[in-house]
């Protein structure tokens, strides 16, 4: 049988950590909400294009995908030993497609973005699930950074970098 004194002591021991956790959760939510609400119109437009980017990859729509890239683009994808220019930006998609791999789904998790005049920088995680011809595969997550520039024809990626997120 539990004594009332032990139960009261146990509750008191947990009350402070629970209260601290609730306060921390409240503070995190309060600081996250304004950052989303404070996104500029340019940031919102570019985030829509980031989603389109991955829809084009999934559909292997190389023409629309290529249109997202500025002619002066240079970036360093995780799968390349050296930075690449626009003329090699679709290589990774065609290599996967040629091997029979298809993207089944993806999710974007924005980390941060910042707009200044005619540029927007985005940072996010993307988790993509690719399968081989036999239907086997597993999701993998990458960190992505893109620098977008506003041109007369719209927003285009002028720089970027990616890295695989280590599995835990």
């Amino acid at each position: 049988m539990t004594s009332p004194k032990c139960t009261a002591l146990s509750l008191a021991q947990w009350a402070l950590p629970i209260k601290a956790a609730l306060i921390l959760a409240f503070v995190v939510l309060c600081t996250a909400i304004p950052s989303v609400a404070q996104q500029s119109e340019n940031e919102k437009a570019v985030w829509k294009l980031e989603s389109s980017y991955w829809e084009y990859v999934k559909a292997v729509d190389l023409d629309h995908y290529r249109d997202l890239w500025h002619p002066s683009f240079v970036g360093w994808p995780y799968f390349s030993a050296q930075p690449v220019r626009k003329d090699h930006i679709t290589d990774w998609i065609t290599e996967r497609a040629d091997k029979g791999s298809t993207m089944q789904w993806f999710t974007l998790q924005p980390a941060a973005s910042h707009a200044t005049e005619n540029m927007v920088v985005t940072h996010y995680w993307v988790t993509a699930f690719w399968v081989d011809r036999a239907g086997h595969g597993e999701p993998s997550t990458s960190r992505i950074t893109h620098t977008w520039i506003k041109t007369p024809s719209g927003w285009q990626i002028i720089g970027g970098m990616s890295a695989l997120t280590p599995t835990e």
Side-chain angles (χ1 to χ4, degrees):
M1 185 163 163
T2 323
S3 86
K5 189 175 186 179
C6 287
T7 305
L9 183 57
S10 297
L11 288 174
Q13 287 176 321
W14 286 102
L16 186 58
I18 290 172
K19 186 176 179 181
L22 289 173
I23 290 170
L24 179 62
F26 178 75
V27 169
V28 167
L29 283 173
C30 288
T31 56
I33 291 168
S35 67
V36 171
Q38 292 175 2
Q39 275 190 345
S40 70
E41 290 304 311
N42 287 343
E43 286 172 284
K44 290 174 186 174
V46 165
W47 280 116
K48 285 181 185 176
L49 289 169
E50 289 287 5
S51 185
S52 295
Y53 168 109
W54 289 100
E55 289 294 344
Y56 299 149
V57 171
K58 184 178 173 194
V60 192
D61 184 345
L62 301 182
D63 291 332
H64 283 107
Y65 180 82
R66 213 177 278 110
D67 289 343
L68 295 173
W69 304 88
H70 191 275
S72 299
F73 168 81
V74 64
W76 204 336
Y78 74 84
F79 51 82
S80 177
Q82 298 293 321
V84 299
R85 303 250 177 216
K86 184 176 179 174
D87 59 339
H88 290 285
I89 204 61
T90 60
D91 291 356
W92 72 280
I93 301 169
T94 54
E95 285 174 17
R96 284 183 177 260
D98 291 348
K99 292 178 183 175
S101 292
T102 57
M103 182 190 289
Q104 300 299 300
W105 55 261
F106 69 90
T107 58
L108 296 182
Q109 183 182 352
S113 62
H114 185 71
T116 58
E117 297 179 25
N118 69 335
M119 309 223 19
V120 174
V121 178
T122 59
H123 304 279
Y124 62 95
W125 294 272
V126 61
T127 300
F129 182 60
W130 292 83
V131 296
D132 59 20
R133 286 188 173 106
H136 300 109
E138 60 184 62
S140 65
T141 302
S142 301
R143 293 181 303 236
I144 310 285
T145 295
H146 283 146
T147 300
W148 294 78
I149 188 167
K150 192 165 194 173
T151 68
S153 60
W155 288 99
Q156 291 184 305
I157 303 168
I158 195 159
M161 192 164 190
S162 66
L164 284 176
T165 300
T167 55
E168 296 178 46

